[in-house]
Amino acid sequence: MTTPWYRRISEGLTKSRDRLEGQLNVILNRGPELDEEFWEDLEDALIGSDIGVTAVTEIVERLRDSATRKALPDAAAVVDHLAEELAREVTTEAPDVFETAPVTVLVVGVNGTGKTTTVGKLATEAARTGKSVLLGSGDTYRAAAVEQLDIWAERAGVPVIRRERGADPAAVAYDTVTAANVQRPDLTLIDTAGRLHTSPDLMRELQKVHRIATRESAAPVKVVLVMDATTGQNGLAQAREFDAALDLDGIVLTKLDGTAKGGIAVAVVRELGIPIVRIGVGEGADDLKPFVPGEYARALVGRG
Ligand SMILES: Nc1nc2c(ncn2[C@@H]2O[C@H](COP(=O)(O)OP(=O)(O)OP(=O)(O)O)[C@@H](O)[C@H]2O)c(=O)[nH]1
Ligand SMILES: [Mg+2]
């Protein structure tokens, strides 16, 4: 069961697991009784991981039901069953947007969440598995943005469509999808500049980028938000705004390695209803992983 892949996810979630596992151990050390104090402390431990009140209430309810039916006889049995319930909360039927080919994916999000890095990692992964990839450098604001994407592209050996700094990002999107219509790559990824979800002008600009890409692209166009897991509840607020403006197809949850509140992934799926399509557990090319509910839950709870 301990594949290298699982080990990396598990390492990435160390901070979150240390926190949650520590709290669960405190609860377990008090004894096997399933009294009110047990259920309250379990709830608090889960809410403290940013799992979100809605999901926590449902999970604890189900565990209580099982305990009443004597399926879970004591505290240890309940805690052992927790990972399974958590996995259930984040399981969705949504298809993997990066696996359908051909596809064009517009990558959006607030400043510094990891968009360009994620585009680089995705390009690396796709190229390695023999897919053809085309990148569009849609961040025309930041001086170093094009160079940053170029470095990833060069390493992955994939072409990039770009324009001069200050150009209209919708023009870059146009150039990219029209090139894709001719070259027909399996995967086209368009990076965009970071922007605050509270800025109407910048959100309108992004809608224009999306409109033009959708109008011109022969391949279906999907929109993926890159969300920084360390921003917690604020990240959820960002996601709601981006979803309202662009109707998101998926979320890449980055920097899970940088937070003790990795339960935020549960809140993303349950409260936003948007599937998590990848998780970022580090800065390297190999640190972007598929989101597998069972593995994630085991890595978060740390037991079994
Ligand atoms: N620890 C960790 N760092 C990450 C992860 N993903 C990205 N980063 C780092 O986050 C920082 C910002 O990443 P960028 O890819 O430049 O973020 P961005 O969203 O493109 O930023 P802007 O274009 O300025 O909005 C970089 O230092 C990345 O290495 C991750 O999963 N874990
Ligand atoms: Mg960027």
Side-chain angles (χ1 to χ4, degrees):
M1 283 295 268
T2 50
T3 58
W5 180 85
Y6 176 73
R7 270 204 297 280
R8 190 68 198 93
I9 305 276
S10 185
E11 275 165 30
L13 279 161
T14 299
K15 286 185 191 175
S16 298
R17 183 173 53 257
D18 283 354
R19 182 182 199 281
L20 185 56
E21 202 175 25
Q23 290 184 333
L24 294 174
N25 283 338
V26 170
I27 298 174
L28 289 175
N29 284 339
R30 280 207 310 263
E33 291 81 23
L34 294 172
D35 49 17
E36 273 315 301
E37 197 186 358
F38 170 84
W39 295 112
E40 274 168 28
D41 289 352
L42 180 63
E43 238 170 44
D44 288 348
L46 295 173
I47 287 169
S49 294
D50 260 6
I51 286 169
V53 179
T54 322
V56 170
T57 308
E58 284 181 17
I59 291 166
V60 172
E61 199 109 307
R62 287 205 297 269
L63 289 169
R64 262 182 192 264
D65 276 356
S66 300
T68 312
R69 287 186 280 104
K70 303 276 184 266
L72 300 171
D74 57 22
V78 170
V79 170
D80 282 342
H81 198 62
L82 184 58
E84 221 169 285
E85 289 297 339
L86 274 167
R88 241 176 95 172
E89 284 293 309
V90 290
T91 300
T92 58
E93 298 290 311
D96 186 337
V97 288
F98 299 111
E99 289 304 322
T100 56
V103 67
T104 295
V105 184
L106 190 62
V107 179
V108 303
V110 304
N111 309 75
T113 55
K115 293 176 294 300
T116 306
T117 305
T118 297
V119 168
K121 289 170 173 174
L122 285 165
T124 307
E125 171 197 279
R128 193 184 291 146
T129 57
K131 285 186 172 179
S132 49
V133 183
L134 178 67
L135 302 183
S137 205
D139 182 352
T140 55
Y141 286 88
R142 217 159 45 77
V146 176
E147 289 83 354
Q148 188 190 354
L149 191 64
D150 279 352
I151 292 170
W152 279 101
E154 202 167 302
R155 259 192 255 140
V158 304
V160 188
I161 304 292
R162 58 179 92 71
R163 280 199 177 204
E164 72 285 2
R165 189 170 164 223
D168 184 344
V172 178
Y174 179 90
D175 291 351
T176 307
V177 295
T178 48
N181 289 345
V182 175
Q183 298 173 22
R184 303 199 165 273
D186 297 313
L187 180 63
T188 302
L189 299 167
I190 304 177
D191 189 22
T192 62
R195 68 199 66 223
L196 272 178
H197 54 298
T198 48
S199 161
D201 285 354
L202 292 178
M203 293 304 276
R204 260 198 301 280
E205 179 191 82
L206 204 51
Q207 286 172 319
K208 180 178 158 195
V209 171
H210 181 235
R211 206 163 52 238
I212 293 201
T214 308
R215 196 179 66 205
E216 300 298 328
S217 177
V221 176
K222 304 286 179 186
V223 186
V224 165
L225 174 81
V226 176
M227 175 179 155
D228 177 342
T230 67
T231 58
Q233 296 299 315
N234 184 40
L236 295 181
Q238 295 163 14
R240 280 190 196 96
E241 294 298 325
F242 275 94
D243 191 36
L246 295 160
D247 196 10
L248 300 175
D249 295 290
I251 289 182
V252 174
L253 191 61
T254 57
K255 310 189 195 181
L256 266 176
D257 53 308
T259 177
K261 298 189 166 198
I264 192 73
V266 182
V268 166
V269 177
R270 290 291 298 127
E271 287 175 33
L272 303 174
I274 301 166
I276 296 175
V277 287
R278 289 290 186 283
I279 55 174
V281 289
E283 296 186 276
D286 294 328
D287 294 330
L288 190 74
K289 305 291 181 189
F291 182 66
V292 181
E295 307 273 281
Y296 160 78
R298 276 205 295 143
L300 185 65
V301 177
R303 303 172 58 88

